[in-house]
């Protein structure tokens, strides 16, 4: 593969960063680089300009009105995971961060960058196989290829790639908001609208304009999240992506019925998957294994599987039953 020259620019302000990327259609922001540099080396992405945003004043972690937390986009995953206010108010998010990567990567990876990390689908990353994410209209090799780790929820005829983030699963369950600054000013995006399902345009993963920079993530005050948990099931305990993961936060009332539930799944969806159907099925009912199993069935009613990944449906249902049974006991 022939080397391509890349211009590097270290932005001194948010405005400078936005202006530099907006002016060049072949440019990109560079944060921690833990995924982006790999994709550059593989030739999957080929920007002519990289705008380094590491020096921008976006590493803060601060309280917001109402008891929530605002996380600067350049806050490192390791710092956020161990911040006392995160551990106390959102332990499930802390666990997701700690399980999301090795210590070395967590020390480099930024929260904003994690929201934009690309899939680990081998066909996307090999730079050669037909892939609608990398080359729109070329096809999806995973549909008939090796797809054991691919998604079963939110898929389309054009893409079945799994979303890789762990912390995004927690943030979806917590109704976080993405704050951005771009060429047209400031913007706020509810996190479930930030992650786009592939449908007919797998290459469009977020509703961000070119040059629009994530500057912060707002996490609201969610009292039930103080007892939240994140469990990750994978092929090996050491650094690996999820086959199935479960974020849960549940409150049971004095009558033994589920009064509040936040449930989200990783490893099974093309986006971090909020389990709305399962939540709705359980609210107002006891969290018995039978009721939880019925709720899990409802969540996966529209699952689309292949012979290689159909195990994920049973695996995920059992993981939900086990997790919510333990939380309610």
């Amino acid at each position: 593969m022939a080397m391509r020259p890349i211009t590097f620019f270290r932005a001194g302000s948010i405005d400078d960063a936005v202006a530099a990327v907006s002016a060049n259609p072949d440019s990109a922001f560079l944060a921690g680089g833990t995924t982006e540099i790999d994709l550059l080396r593989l030739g999957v992405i080929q920007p002519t300009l990289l705008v380094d945003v590491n020096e921008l004043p976006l590493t803060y972690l601060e309280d917001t009105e109402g008891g929530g937390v605002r996380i600067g986009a350049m806050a490192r995953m390791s710092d956020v995971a161990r911040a006392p206010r995160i551990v106390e108010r959102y332990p499930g998010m802390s666990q997701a961060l700690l399980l999301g990567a090795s210590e070395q990567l967590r020390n480099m990876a930024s929260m904003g960058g994690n929201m934009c990390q690309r899939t680990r689908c081998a066909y996307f990353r090999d730079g050669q196989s037909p892939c609608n994410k990398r080359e729109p209209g070329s096809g999806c090799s995973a549909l008939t290829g090796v797809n054991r780790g691919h998604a079963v929820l939110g898929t389309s005829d054009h893409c079945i790639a799994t979303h890789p983030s762990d912390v995004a699963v927690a943030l979806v369950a917590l109704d976080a908001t993405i704050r951005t600054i771009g060429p047209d000013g400031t913007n706020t995006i509810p996190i479930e609208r930030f992650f786009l399902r592939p449908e007919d345009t797998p290459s469009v993963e977020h509703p961000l304009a070119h040059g629009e920079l994530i500057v912060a993530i707002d996490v609201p005050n969610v009292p039930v999240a103080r007892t939240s948990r994140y469990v990750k099931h994978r092929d090996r305990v050491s650094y690996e992506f999820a086959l199935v993961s479960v974020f849960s936060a549940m409150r049971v009332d004095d009558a033994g019925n589920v009064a509040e539930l936040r449930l989200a799944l990783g490893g099974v969806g093309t986006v971090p998957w909020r389990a709305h159907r399962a939540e709705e099925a359980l609210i107002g009912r006891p969290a018995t294994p039978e009721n939880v199993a019925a709720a899990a069935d409802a969540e996966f009613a529209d699952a689309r599987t292949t012979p290689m990944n159909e195990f994920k449906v049973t695996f995920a249902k059992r993981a939900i039953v086990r997790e919510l049974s333990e939380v309610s006991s």
Side-chain angles (χ1 to χ4, degrees), residues 88-174:
E88 177 183 352
R89 302 178 201 173
Y90 316 101
M93 188 195 337
S94 174
Q95 293 159 14
L97 285 163
L98 293 173
L99 291 169
S102 67
E103 184 75 20
Q104 295 93 332
L105 288 175
R106 293 198 305 269
N107 288 340
M108 285 294 297
S110 68
M111 291 294 292
N114 187 277
M115 298 299 97
C116 294
Q117 70 169 302
R118 308 300 299 276
T119 181
R120 260 53 184 189
C121 174
Y123 300 109
F124 168 76
R125 295 172 69 86
D126 71 10
Q128 299 178 8
S129 301
C131 172
N132 288 318
K133 275 189 178 294
R134 190 184 65 250
E135 186 179 347
S138 63
C140 175
S141 298
L143 285 170
T144 56
V146 178
N147 49 38
R148 175 177 177 270
H150 284 68
V152 298
L153 295 173
T155 63
S156 75
D157 291 335
H158 304 282
C159 182
I160 59 171
T162 310
H163 194 277
S165 176
D166 288 285
V167 70
V169 176
L171 292 169
V172 164
L174 295 168

Side-chain angles (χ1 to χ4, degrees), residues 270-293:
T270 55
V271 296
W273 194 265
R274 181 73 178 267
H276 288 292
R277 288 182 179 178
E279 291 177 353
E280 292 170 2
L282 281 170
I283 294 295
R285 304 182 68 190
T288 63
E290 295 77 15
N291 286 343
V292 176

Side-chain angles (χ1 to χ4, degrees), residues 203-216:
S203 61
V204 182
E205 299 178 352
H206 312 288
L208 295 174
H210 184 68
E212 189 172 0
L213 176 67
I214 297 175
V215 294

